[in-house]
Amino acid sequence: MIRHLFVLITAFLVALPFLWMAFAAFIPQEIVYSGELLSRFGFTLANFQVLAKEGFWGRMGFSLAVSSLVTFLQLFTAFLAAYAIKEGLKVLPFFLLLLAVPAELLLVPLYGLLKSLHLLDTVWALILPFAASPFIVFLLYGAMRSIPEELLEAARLDGAGHRVLLSRILFPLMRPTLVAAGVLAFAAHWNLVLYPRIVAGEEWKTVQTWLTDLQRKYPADWGILSAAALAATLPLVLIYLVYERRVIESVEKGLKG
Amino acid sequence: MAPPSSTQFRRAWRFNPAHLFALPAMGILALFILYPFLDVLRFSTWDWSGLSAPKEVGLENYRQILRDAAFWASLRTTLYFMAMALPAFVILAVLLALALDGQRYERPVKALLFLPGLVTLGGATLSWYTLFAPEYGALAALVPIPRWDQEVFWALVLVVLFTLWRHVGYGVLVVSARLKAIPRTLLEAAAVDGATAAQAFRYITLPLLRPAITFLLVIGTVLALQSYSAVFLLTRGGPFGGTRVLGYYLYETGFENFRLGYAAAITVIVLILTLSFAYAQARLLREGE
């Protein structure tokens, strides 16, 4: 009994910010200012109109495009690298080592590197450093290892080259893992906060940077802030809801090692 | 008999064109992770604002850090933060994983718990901010909200809660994966021998969970020593620098005060701290086995 209650309360607390976000996004201004947030009920779409005026959709489209491109690149480079490791290239320790390097602490040296490469304040600063991820390599290699060797051997006897093996056999078999890895890669890039602010400049503002700016501009407009939060979160929630089972399974499988 | 070693040797070193496929990933990672990771040592000996030409100053930055009161304060803050967050993180993850194990709602609840860490950071902090703001926040109308904008302790609590909210789902998955690997027969055998549920937990489940707990502690330390996004988004280090954890101090020094060389030296110190903490924990827990 206590067990169920514990789970129920935790689940409610975890869900609360999301529920509140979805509720508060539609609160009219006058209710926010009167402070009767929970006692009076009102519904409006006006908050979203303010977002449009502030240029939200442009930032949203930009973030979607950049994070999607990064996701594609990470999956592509990791898929190839995982294959090379499976084919006997002994570089797994290299990726595991890099996995342990805390990306967040690279802020300063990465800034210096991007500066000397003349990538600072360009859109490439948001893309190139994320074109490969040791974590995704690790995840894909784990899944590739579990594919029976006989399957590949049989295809090789039929004269299949690397390209055919990769695209006709490994790719379809690994699709669930690729999807899960894609969701994780997309989320990681979408959620970068300080990094894009520092390296990408005004012109290439991502949704997350735009959100922190909005919070400074409208520090007390709960409705507008919540509408922005909801709209910026929704793409990820939707992707996650569709692929949730695969994500959880892949993470658990990856953790078992 | 032909010498087997020579064929084996040749096979081990036979060139396989598929090995070239690793080049894109390795090249990119070498350039954007490995090189900066090594380069931070060089930067840390510079007096450099990012705009001006760097000036070589030797170990001056490190000497200054040792005398820097703000650095020591932020180290203390980080340790407080860890002392609050780490045990809560591990205990909560274990309890939730145990409570969820084998329940009908295990899958949806796990999915929900994992959601915050994955889905959102900027959006989530806005939601937390509007919910928990003292005086004006939505919850302030229902329950008294401690003044985390004025009291250091409550500001830390807020950041801890936010961090737990974001990462506990991952912890649950770690423990859960381990839990599922425990053979049922072991627990059944214990029940046949008359062990109570508490005894079975204490002498079978808990020892077998140890690797997962070690892993969580190490991951948790790394997260705690480097977390600054939550601080940046929720409290901006305030009130009175009370939530200025090392990661945030690093950001402030480098990109608000434009002392990149100094910030690089802080980075090196944080790295050393992280590695030694993680190493010590892994050692201690392994010895306890």
Side-chain angles (χ1 to χ4, degrees):
Chain A
M1 194 56 225
I2 292 176
R3 179 188 203 170
H4 297 306
L5 205 64
F6 172 58
V7 171
L8 189 75
I9 291 173
T10 316
F12 173 73
L13 289 179
V14 168
L16 183 65
F18 293 110
L19 300 174
W20 161 246
M21 195 190 282
F23 173 75
F26 303 101
I27 293 179
Q29 288 281 308
E30 63 271 14
I31 293 188
V32 172
Y33 285 130
S34 68
E36 297 166 310
L37 281 170
L38 299 172
S39 45
R40 239 174 76 196
F41 188 73
F43 178 88
T44 178
L45 288 174
N47 295 323
F48 289 94
Q49 283 157 9
V50 177
L51 291 192
K53 237 182 23 232
E54 294 285 332
F56 174 76
W57 298 110
R59 290 307 94 205
M60 188 80 166
F62 175 67
S63 268
L64 279 173
V66 175
S67 294
S68 305
L69 179 60
V70 162
T71 305
F72 171 76
L73 289 172
Q74 281 189 15
L75 291 180
F76 184 71
T77 54
F79 190 54
L80 291 181
Y83 183 67
I85 299 171
K86 189 183 162 66
E87 286 288 285
L89 187 64
K90 295 190 172 47
V91 288
L92 196 61
F94 172 80
F95 291 103
L96 290 176
L97 173 81
L98 292 186
L99 197 58
V101 174
E104 284 112 333
L105 289 185
L106 295 179
L107 221 50
V108 178
L110 204 49
Y111 180 89
L113 176 66
L114 292 171
K115 194 174 160 74
S116 54
L117 293 176
H118 302 288
L119 293 173
L120 218 52
D121 295 330
T122 71
V123 70
W124 299 110
L126 290 175
I127 296 170
L128 287 180
F130 301 97
S133 149
F135 176 67
I136 303 294
V137 171
F138 183 62
L139 209 62
L140 293 190
Y141 172 66
M144 208 180 272
R145 204 176 39 177
S146 66
I147 289 173
E149 190 59 42
E150 300 87 69
L151 222 58
L152 301 180
E153 218 39 67
R156 276 197 203 100
L157 286 178
D158 288 345
H162 296 306
R163 188 143 41 94
V164 177
L165 281 177
L166 277 167
S167 61
R168 295 277 170 77
I169 296 176
L170 289 172
F171 181 75
L173 283 172
M174 288 177 59
R175 197 171 283 159
T177 312
L178 283 167
V179 166
V183 174
L184 294 173
F186 187 89
H189 192 264
W190 183 267
N191 281 326
L192 290 172
V193 171
L194 288 178
Y195 178 83
R197 174 175 293 277
I198 289 164
V199 302
E202 278 298 296
E203 206 181 331
W204 308 107
K205 218 177 251 182
T206 63
V207 162
Q208 302 294 339
T209 312
W210 184 89
L211 278 177
T212 47
D213 290 348
L214 188 79
Q215 192 180 0
R216 256 176 264 180
K217 193 166 175 194
Y218 298 99
D221 278 301
W222 285 184
I224 293 169
L225 292 181
S226 300
L230 181 68
T233 309
L234 217 51
L236 276 172
V237 174
L238 293 180
I239 298 172
Y240 180 62
L241 284 182
V242 175
Y243 297 116
E244 158 266 313
R245 187 189 287 250
R246 285 174 182 180
V247 173
I248 299 283
E249 271 170 12
S250 296
V251 173
E252 278 190 343
K253 223 184 283 160
L255 289 170
K256 257 184 249 160
Chain B
M1 230 160 79
S5 60
S6 90
T7 46
Q8 262 170 11
F9 179 79
R10 229 177 295 139
R11 188 173 300 156
W13 285 90
R14 196 180 52 187
F15 174 74
N16 183 339
H19 292 177
L20 292 177
F21 291 172
L23 281 182
M26 290 183 73
I28 290 162
L29 293 172
L31 178 61
F32 289 108
I33 298 187
L34 195 59
Y35 175 72
F37 181 63
L38 301 173
D39 212 22
V40 72
L41 285 170
R42 195 162 58 100
F43 284 153
S44 72
T45 62
W46 286 359
D47 180 13
W48 181 42
S49 73
L51 299 167
S52 63
K55 203 173 78 199
E56 194 59 67
V57 293
L59 292 178
E60 186 48 35
N61 285 329
Y62 292 97
R63 251 177 248 130
Q64 267 193 42
I65 288 175
L66 291 179
R67 283 182 268 117
D68 182 353
F71 170 79
W72 291 107
S74 84
L75 179 60
R76 257 198 313 277
T77 303
T78 308
L79 294 180
Y80 284 146
F81 173 72
M82 269 170 63
M84 288 163 92
L86 213 47
F89 172 62
V90 173
I91 291 169
L92 212 56
V94 171
L95 287 182
L96 279 169
L98 285 172
L100 283 172
D101 196 42
Q103 297 294 330
R104 232 176 323 124
Y105 47 69
E106 176 171 354
R107 214 176 63 82
V109 173
K110 263 191 199 165
L112 171 70
L113 295 180
F114 194 66
L115 183 71
L118 184 72
V119 148
T120 135
L121 191 54
T125 40
L126 284 184
S127 173
W128 271 64
Y129 178 68
T130 52
L131 258 181
F132 292 105
E135 292 192 277
Y136 307 111
L139 282 181
L142 298 174
V143 284
I145 299 289
R147 294 302 303 253
W148 54 265
D149 55 337
Q150 292 174 0
E151 288 169 47
V152 170
F153 173 76
W154 290 111
L156 269 177
V157 169
L158 183 81
V159 176
V160 167
L161 286 177
F162 183 80
T163 311
L164 288 178
W165 179 71
R166 279 206 77 202
H167 296 297
V168 83
Y170 182 74
V172 171
L173 290 189
V174 172
V175 179
S176 209
R178 193 73 209 171
L179 216 50
K180 300 230 179 305
I182 296 179
R184 289 283 140 217
T185 47
L186 219 56
L187 294 170
E188 279 158 16
V192 170
D193 287 345
T196 64
Q199 278 170 334
F201 175 74
R202 170 72 187 78
Y203 293 106
I204 296 173
T205 313
L206 199 57
L208 286 171
L209 283 182
R210 192 169 239 134
I213 293 175
T214 312
F215 180 73
L216 283 190
L217 280 174
V218 174
I219 287 279
T221 307
V222 175
L223 279 176
L225 280 171
Q226 287 149 21
S227 68
Y228 52 73
S229 298
V231 169
F232 173 79
L233 292 166
L234 281 171
T235 63
R236 302 224 151 220
F240 325 115
T243 57
R244 196 196 279 131
V245 289
L246 278 173
Y248 188 71
Y249 183 57
L250 189 157
Y251 161 76
E252 240 181 18
T253 312
F255 300 101
E256 284 184 6
N257 302 327
F258 299 105
R259 299 180 64 196
L260 283 165
Y262 198 64
I266 299 174
T267 305
V268 172
I269 290 180
V270 174
L271 274 173
I272 293 169
L273 277 177
T274 311
L275 292 178
S276 34
F277 258 107
Y279 180 73
Q281 270 171 350
R283 275 297 294 272
L284 275 177
L285 278 150
R286 208 169 298 145
E287 268 164 26
E289 263 173 27

